[in-house]
């Protein structure tokens, strides 16, 4: 199973300059290849005998011309331009499959990164060897054991990080969950997560404060004169704040997913149609704030490490609209309604707790049917995930009980 670990780097000035140059080369190659792709695509539309653009052909083409046309490219690892074009190929693949938008040109300051294949770099304790450059210090050691697959060096605000992807072996399970119980988890708008036990986790408090500061700063930025020194300073401050918020959020998600997988064997969650939800203006903010993709990813691998199971409800499973007591289904339930009374059985529901209980019930019924009809069950509701992989240490998360 592939797991990535992102580690802060401690480059000296010369190394940071080299990173910036390699990232610039990668960006240039990506943008060059995207422009070529578009030109060749138009050309082959006009003349069907011409080949369609592909990342492989574009990489060969760049290799043929780079010594003449872009000799400065040779100053950094050949991985930088090559991997960038491979990534463009993936971006097009995702676009053709309907999973992503049409690839955009990379911008300086926004997409400062370059990638390395595993034959081009090495990790030794808390340092990493970058081709052409040499050893660079890392702030921590690599957390996962296994075959190292690739690395991406990137700039976030004014700091450099390396994300190392490791193929972790399947034979190092962690202790099983404390009780072999089942829980449903509703991710949401008013709380970070609501459990079927009635517990609510509102997410880190610091986040709220930082988010309002973020709002203030970005408003301030738009008032500053373009190109002025003050605007530059404000932009750097804003980028640092973004990075800090990202770290806090990531940390909160790690705590939550560790807590859940430690406590429960089977965990039911929604399959959030994130792309659809982003179109809903009210939901967009909270969804992007909380990183639902990331939540799902962490929960999957952490449950797998303990031999647990994540049951994902189908996209159209109406977790909010079913009464978890009597099964009565509402036609509609606007997002603004946080509490409702079932007209059939009279139960008063907290919207999120009710949804979590429905997800729990679904998890129970789908895992039961998975046992009964081997191989076929579970598919009905979503994927029942199998096991593996090592995991990071973590702290217990205080849960605020609902009442
Ligand atoms: Zn009811």
């Amino acid at each position: 199973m592939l797991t990535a670990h992102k580690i802060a780097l401690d480059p000296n000035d010369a190394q940071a300059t080299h990173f910036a140059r390699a990232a610039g080369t990668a960006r240039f190659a990506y943008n060059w290849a995207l422009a070529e792709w578009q030109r060749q695509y138009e050309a082959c539309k006009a003349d069907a005998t011409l080949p369609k653009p592909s990342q492989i052909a574009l990489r060969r083409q760049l290799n043929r011309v780079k010594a003449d046309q872009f000799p400065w490219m040779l100053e950094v690892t050949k991985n930088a331009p090559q991997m960038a074009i491979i990534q463009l190929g993936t971006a097009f693949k995702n676009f053709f499959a309907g999973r992503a938008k049409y690839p955009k040109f990379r911008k300086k300051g926004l997409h400062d990164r370059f990638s390395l294949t595993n034959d081009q770099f090495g990790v030794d304790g808390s340092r990493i060897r970058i081709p052409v450059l040499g050893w660079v210090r890392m702030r921590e050691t690599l957390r996962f054991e296994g075959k190292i697959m690739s690395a991406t060096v990137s700039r976030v605000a004014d700091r450099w990080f390396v994300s190392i992807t490791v193929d972790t072996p399947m034979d190092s399970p962690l202790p099983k969950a404390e009780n072999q119980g089942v829980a449903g988890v509703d991710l949401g708008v008013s709380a970070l997560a609501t459990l079927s036990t009635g517990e609510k986790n509102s997410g880190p408090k610091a986040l709220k404060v930082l988010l309002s500061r973020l709002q203030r700063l970005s408003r301030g930025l738009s008032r500053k004169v373009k190109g002025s020194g003050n605007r530059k300073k404000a932009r750097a401050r804003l980028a640092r704040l973004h990075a800090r918020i990202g770290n806090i959020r990531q940390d909160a998600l790690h705590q939550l997913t560790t807590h859940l997988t430690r406590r429960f064997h089977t965990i039911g969650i929604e399959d959030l149609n994130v792309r659809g939800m982003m179109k809903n203006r009210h939901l967009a903010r909270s969804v992007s704030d909380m990183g639902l993709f990331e939540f799902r990813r962490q929960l999957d691998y952490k449950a797998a490490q303990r031999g647990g199971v994540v049951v994902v409800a189908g996209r159209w499973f109406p977790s909010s609209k079913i009464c978890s007591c009597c099964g009565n289904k509402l036609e509609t339930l606007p997002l603004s309604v946080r509490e409702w009374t079932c007209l059939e059985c009279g139960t008063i529901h907290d919207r999120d707790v009710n949804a979590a209980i429905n997800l729990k019930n679904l998890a129970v019924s789908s895992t039961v049917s998975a046992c009964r009809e081997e191989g076929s069950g579970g598919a009905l509701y979503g994927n029942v995930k199998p096991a593996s992989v090592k995991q990071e240490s973590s702290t217990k998360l205080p849960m605020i009980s609902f009442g």
Side-chain angles (χ1 to χ4, degrees):
M1 175 177 179
L2 294 181
T3 315
H5 184 189
K6 192 167 180 178
I7 301 170
L9 292 168
D10 239 344
N12 59 33
D13 285 351
Q15 291 172 331
T17 305
H18 186 91
F19 285 163
R21 188 176 299 149
T25 303
R27 182 178 59 244
F28 179 90
Y30 188 95
N31 291 344
W32 171 87
L34 178 52
E36 264 306 289
W37 189 297
Q38 290 169 346
R39 192 188 62 75
Q40 292 178 14
Y41 179 76
E42 288 304 318
C44 92
K45 259 200 323 199
D47 175 359
T49 61
L50 291 170
K52 276 193 180 152
S54 76
Q55 57 94 357
I56 298 173
L58 283 168
R59 272 158 58 202
R60 286 198 192 115
Q61 188 183 338
L62 181 63
N63 275 342
R64 279 197 304 273
V65 301
K66 79 176 171 187
D68 276 342
Q69 291 185 26
F70 319 117
W72 42 267
M73 272 192 180
L74 306 174
E75 289 170 24
V76 300
T77 167
K78 64 182 183 200
N79 264 182
Q82 290 289 311
M83 293 289 277
I85 298 176
I86 290 175
Q87 284 156 2
L88 177 69
T90 310
F92 268 111
K93 205 193 266 173
N94 288 336
F95 166 69
F96 291 129
R99 286 190 295 265
K101 288 188 182 157
Y102 189 86
K104 281 194 190 122
F105 289 97
R106 282 190 185 171
K107 281 191 182 137
K108 187 177 179 182
L110 199 61
H111 307 112
D112 293 346
R113 59 168 180 261
F114 64 95
S115 298
L116 302 166
T117 50
N118 58 5
D119 57 321
Q120 294 292 311
F121 71 98
V123 175
D124 171 30
S126 54
R127 53 182 201 157
I128 180 168
R129 186 177 37 78
I130 305 286
V132 185
L133 185 59
W135 294 100
V136 179
R137 282 206 310 177
M138 303 194 294
R139 289 280 172 91
E140 52 181 320
T141 56
L142 185 59
R143 190 191 286 151
F144 303 109
E145 277 172 44
K147 186 178 185 334
I148 291 174
M149 305 303 288
S150 63
T152 295
V153 176
S154 64
R155 176 154 54 190
V156 181
D158 47 3
R159 291 182 62 194
W160 288 94
F161 292 83
V162 63
S163 177
I164 303 174
T165 304
V166 181
D167 192 2
T168 48
M170 313 284 266
D171 55 356
S172 46
L174 287 164
K176 290 210 155 91
E178 282 164 19
N179 64 36
Q180 291 292 295
V182 188
V185 185
D186 180 68
L187 290 174
V189 183
S190 64
L192 173 58
T194 304
L195 307 194
S196 50
T197 55
E199 292 158 292
K200 288 197 175 197
N201 180 286
S202 51
K205 280 211 185 88
L207 201 55
K208 263 191 192 142
V209 179
L210 291 179
L211 283 172
S212 63
R213 192 183 300 166
L214 183 71
Q215 243 176 1
R216 224 174 32 245
L217 265 181
S218 32
R219 266 202 306 271
L221 181 69
S222 60
R223 282 198 298 268
K224 298 222 160 39
V225 183
K226 258 197 171 161
S228 71
N230 275 339
R231 190 183 164 97
K232 249 188 205 154
K233 262 187 232 156
R235 271 244 304 263
R237 251 202 318 274
L238 196 62
R240 276 198 299 276
L241 189 56
H242 265 296
R244 231 176 111 201
I245 288 172
N247 285 341
I248 290 176
R249 188 174 292 150
Q250 184 78 356
D251 206 47
L253 283 177
H254 269 300
Q255 289 188 15
L256 175 65
T257 49
T258 298
H259 179 85
L260 289 171
T261 49
R262 267 194 188 162
R263 270 177 74 192
F264 304 103
H265 172 268
T266 305
I267 300 164
I269 60 169
E270 273 174 289
D271 176 15
L272 291 144
N273 173 6
V274 178
R275 284 187 74 197
M277 283 173 82
M278 288 299 182
K279 286 184 191 136
N280 179 330
R281 275 195 314 127
H282 300 292
L283 277 174
R285 171 91 191 268
S286 46
V287 168
S288 54
D289 282 351
M290 288 168 185
L292 295 186
F293 279 127
E294 183 54 21
F295 173 81
R296 169 77 191 278
R297 186 189 74 78
Q298 291 179 10
L299 201 61
D300 274 349
Y301 86 77
K302 289 183 185 180
Q305 285 170 339
R306 292 177 187 275
V309 173
V310 176
V311 178
V312 182
R315 185 169 296 178
W316 309 112
F317 179 67
S319 58
S320 301
K321 292 187 217 155
I322 300 173
C323 167
S324 57
C325 281
C326 70
N328 174 37
K329 195 187 149 219
L330 301 180
E331 282 306 310
T332 55
L333 185 64
L335 253 182
S336 56
V337 179
R338 308 312 306 167
E339 204 178 86
W340 57 282
T341 306
C342 175
L343 292 176
E344 290 290 320
C345 71
T347 310
I348 300 168
H349 288 300
D350 172 273
R351 178 199 183 96
D352 301 336
V353 175
N354 180 59
I357 294 174
N358 282 324
L359 289 165
K360 175 194 170 179
N361 293 342
L362 177 69
V364 172
S365 62
S366 71
T367 46
V368 166
S369 73
C371 295
R372 228 180 273 137
E373 312 159 48
E374 219 175 320
S376 66
L380 198 74
Y381 294 110
N383 357 3
V384 177
K385 294 269 164 177
S388 75
V389 188
K390 295 201 76 179
Q391 108 150 53
E392 54 238 73
S393 65
S394 60
T395 47
K396 266 216 160 155
L397 181 72
M399 299 294 279
I400 307 144
S401 33
F402 170 75

